[in-house]
Amino acid sequence: MTARWVVDEVAPDRDVRVEWEPISLMFKNAPEPGSDRHRTTSRTHGMLRVMESVRTELGNEGVFRAYWAFGTHIHHDRNLFDFDVAEVLEAIGIDSGHARAFGDRSWDREIRRRMDAGLALVGDDVGTPIIAMEDARGERVGMFGPVITRAPSREDSLRLWDGLVAVTTVPGFWELKRTRTEDPEFGERPTGVPSP
């Protein structure tokens, strides 16, 4: 939902250039092998490997296209396990050969390097999403969140973005929190991602 908020509602009206970086819940949470959580995070970790392979050919834009398509299948189609990664890549115009990276552990070093760079900005006791930006002194700073259940209206989205920029770039500010009481509402299926 945070990605939808930034891409759909914030970027059109703010000078925002998103660099898509991985965070592996397999690395972060180390779920017990054989557990449902391990099965889930193994699947998404494989997709991170594929996205890093795509990055070598198509850069950040390719990562975004793959992430958007995988996320659409997972969240809009409620289908984490029953889609073929190679077919999804082919459907969005990316060489399906990148799907071979899914089980290739050689990509894990790059995933960890990129993930650790994000965690270095916010600490290890957070999850995803992490948003990073430069503060007024030109230093890279980051914040965990915002965790949202739906993309707000354009006006509210821009106010939320401006507030995030303000708190992220204020030295000494660390955390806001309240308990979530509703499930995510993913909105309309993004255009450009073929249905299964």
Side-chain angles (χ1 to χ4, degrees), residues 2 14 26 30 58 63 65 89 100 140 153 156 180:
T2 303
R14 293 292 185 266
M26 177 65 76
L58 300 174
V63 172
R65 287 169 44 206
L89 293 176
R100 289 189 298 270
R140 193 156 176 79
S153 68
D156 287 346
R180 183 176 18 182

Side-chain angles (χ1 to χ4, degrees), residues 68-83:
W68 214 243
F70 295 154
T72 300
H73 283 281
I74 293 167
H75 299 297
H76 285 84
D77 302 337
R78 305 227 181 260
N79 179 8
L80 173 58
F81 296 104
D82 296 326
F83 65 87

